[in-house]
Amino acid sequence: MDIKKLEQRYEGKAKKVYATSDPAYYIVEYKDDATAFNGLKHGTISGKGVINNKMSNLMFQLLEKAGVKTHFVEQLSDRETVVKAVEIVPLEIIIRNVAAGSFSKRYGVAEGTALKCPTLEFSLKNDELNDPLINDSHIIALGVATEKELDEIRTLAYKVNDVLREFFAGIGVKLIDFKIEAGRLPDGTIILADEISPDNCRFWDVVTHEKLDKDRFRHDLGGVEEAYQEMLRRLTL
Ligand code: UDP
């Protein structure tokens, strides 16, 4: 793809986003920086950016094949990918299959407890407010998204869960929970954006329940780089 990288538009915790010579596209660049607990903990996971770029792109292609619209266009280099320019809906969309993390804490449910059905929750993407939980009526009342957009986001999120859960089961990985983000194309279509990687999914080995995700960094469990490498290895076997 003949596209030129222009000025940086945004720098997040794990990625930078650049404008390009074509306003319909951005280039994202994945970094090795890692943060946890809303930025309180900082660190580097060596090689993470390369792994997350590759893994996200494989996941987006898998999802596209299953009929999910995503922002993926083309990988440019180890750390860079061309994506469709979208306006991000400022929500963290979280799906859970098994209790863990903040859900376990909030409801006093042991980590690892299977849920009777997948759950969906939203947090408002706002670092200053610590990404507070937000319900559907609040989202609509505040104009964060319309009711129709929320319907589309919910359908998209559950579909992503169905496709990913089945796929990961096939490589011996249990998809515990994950966070996705949605974006609006200029015509208003809602598509899947952001990334799908061990940074924003919880992955457990099906047999040993070993954690293969950012929880190793969050809780100083050691073997952080190895866990990311292991996920990519299983994906590309
Ligand atoms: N998550 C994320 N970004 C956030 C918060 C959560 O990617 O700012 C992901 C996290 O990796 C996990 C899922 O969303 O896969 C659910 O996270 P949880 O609400 O349990 O929060 P945490 O325990 O990470 O604070």
Side-chain angles (χ1 to χ4, degrees):
M1 194 172 192
D2 189 22
I3 205 165
K4 254 201 225 85
K5 194 172 177 179
L6 300 179
E7 78 280 0
Q8 185 179 307
R9 291 288 298 268
Y10 173 79
E11 177 159 11
K13 291 170 190 143
K15 296 186 289 298
K16 293 178 183 175
V17 180
Y18 294 87
T20 71
S21 44
D22 185 333
Y25 300 107
Y26 291 151
I27 289 174
V28 294
E29 186 185 303
Y30 285 74
K31 307 189 286 183
D32 286 351
D33 300 13
T35 60
F37 310 119
N38 201 36
L40 283 180
K41 181 176 171 132
H42 284 266
T44 303
I45 301 174
S46 174
K48 171 171 85 77
V50 175
I51 291 174
N52 286 3
N53 188 28
K54 190 155 186 195
M55 174 163 173
S56 286
N57 292 342
L58 286 169
M59 295 301 98
F60 287 138
Q61 288 170 88
L62 175 82
L63 287 161
E64 289 276 357
K65 272 197 204 129
V68 177
K69 290 191 189 106
T70 81
H71 72 165
F72 174 74
V73 179
E74 185 189 326
Q75 185 164 328
L76 281 186
S77 70
D78 268 2
R79 289 177 186 272
E80 294 167 308
T81 292
V82 182
V83 298
K84 291 176 189 155
V86 291
E87 178 192 12
I88 293 286
V89 179
L91 292 173
E92 304 210 323
I93 304 152
I94 295 175
I95 292 264
R96 305 176 190 268
N97 298 304
V98 175
S102 67
F103 183 94
S104 286
K105 215 166 158 186
R106 192 181 322 128
Y107 300 119
V109 183
E111 186 160 280
T113 306
L115 301 172
K116 295 193 195 310
C117 60
T119 67
L120 185 156
E121 76 213 36
F122 298 110
S123 292
L124 182 67
K125 252 175 84 90
N126 184 320
D127 285 340
E128 276 166 38
L129 299 177
N130 256 322
D131 299 341
L133 275 173
I134 187 165
N135 74 19
D136 296 22
S137 76
H138 296 159
I139 291 169
I140 294 161
L142 291 171
V144 175
T146 65
E147 192 152 15
K148 180 171 169 284
E149 285 177 331
L150 266 193
D151 281 345
E152 289 177 27
I153 289 172
R154 263 189 240 104
T155 305
L156 175 95
Y158 283 120
K159 173 85 183 181
V160 169
N161 188 43
D162 289 344
V163 175
L164 293 187
R165 203 155 53 146
E166 192 189 330
F167 173 76
F168 284 115
I171 57 169
V173 171
K174 202 163 179 164
L175 179 62
I176 305 298
D177 58 27
F178 63 89
K179 183 267 296 185
I180 52 175
E181 292 180 22
R184 294 180 186 101
L185 287 173
D187 71 357
T189 310
I190 293 284
I191 66 172
L192 180 66
D194 195 39
E195 66 180 281
I196 295 175
S197 74
D199 270 14
N200 49 23
C201 303
R202 285 194 170 96
F203 298 125
W204 292 5
D205 180 90
V206 169
V207 178
T208 65
H209 287 184
E210 185 192 359
K211 294 180 199 297
L212 297 169
D213 56 59
K214 199 164 90 172
D215 268 353
R216 304 205 75 84
F217 168 80
R218 289 190 187 99
H219 304 299
D220 298 316
L221 301 178
V224 184
E225 278 86 0
E226 291 78 1
Y228 281 71
Q229 287 159 12
E230 173 61 14
M231 280 306 301
L232 184 62
R233 189 188 71 80
R234 292 194 192 192
L235 283 176
T236 49
L237 270 183

